[in-house]
Amino acid sequence: APLPEGLRLAVTLAGRSPEKAAAAEAEVLSEVGGSPGLAERGQGLAWTVLDYADPIALRRAMEGVAAVIHTAGPYPKGPAVVLEAAVAAGVPVYVDLADPQEYIAAALGVDAAAQAAGTMAVVCAGAFPGLSNVIAVEIASRMQEPVADLSFSYFTAGLGGSGTVNLLITNLGFGDEVATYREGK
């Protein structure tokens, strides 16, 4: 969707691989009419080399940033390093696509600091379990009749080569006990 009139957007892609960055940049530019298309709207696209395991570099890179969308996975089962850096840098909006239970617990542990810093953090916004489930619950809430059961089926082929990554992430979860909640408990 087009940006609202007058809104200027500068996007910085960050990662460890310049080759992957070039491919991502080319894909984004093809969607927006290339660099001239961005420039005529006063917008920009940049790339920076950044390791998401380096909290000092992360914080430095995030200073003055309006939003961070963290998509680098698989997510660790340890500390929420990128979220913690965003909070430390005072980033107003943070979104990630995480799903490991240990990561989620670590991210929720940052809540008080995030609130104090004015950071709105949305964790687990990925396709599974996040966004797909949110969309399903929203649709169910709009149904005329109560929904007794929601079933999910995920198909990962045709995702720009990410099928292997999704398979890895899914299999990493098979070794751990799966949390089950019934009636909120």
Side-chain angles (χ1 to χ4, degrees):
L3 292 172
E5 188 64 36
L7 180 64
R8 300 297 174 237
L9 181 65
V11 173
T12 300
L13 303 174
R16 294 172 292 193
S17 167
E19 294 79 20
K20 289 181 180 178
E25 183 177 21
E27 183 177 342
V28 170
L29 288 174
S30 74
E31 294 290 326
V32 297
S35 294
L38 284 176
E40 71 187 36
R41 292 191 296 271
Q43 300 165 3
L45 178 65
W47 161 255
T48 188
V49 174
L50 187 63
D51 184 347
Y52 73 87
D54 182 345
I56 295 168
L58 283 171
R59 181 176 178 174
R60 214 175 295 131
M62 292 181 193
E63 289 175 357
V65 169
V68 169
I69 303 172
H70 175 24
T71 62
Y75 286 82
K77 293 185 177 184
V81 178
V82 179
L83 171 58
E84 291 169 359
V87 169
V91 174
V93 178
Y94 169 89
V95 179
D96 73 34
L97 310 178
D99 56 7
Q101 291 291 321
E102 296 85 355
Y103 176 86
I104 295 166
L108 292 175
V110 180
D111 182 56
Q115 287 188 41
T119 299
M120 179 184 67
V122 179
V123 298
C124 310
F128 48 93
L131 191 56
S132 297
N133 297 4
V134 169
I135 291 170
V137 169
E138 176 64 22
I139 292 170
S141 74
R142 295 176 185 216
M143 302 295 289
Q144 299 295 326
E145 307 269 329
V147 175
D149 185 47
L150 289 173
S151 297
F152 295 90
S153 176
Y154 301 103
F155 179 73
T156 61
L159 295 174
S162 68
T164 304
V165 172
N166 286 332
L167 184 59
L168 170 66
I169 292 168
T170 301
N171 285 326
L172 287 174
F174 288 154
D176 299 330
E177 187 173 325
V178 175
T180 303
Y181 299 93
R182 288 197 179 17
E183 297 178 16
K185 300 176 188 169

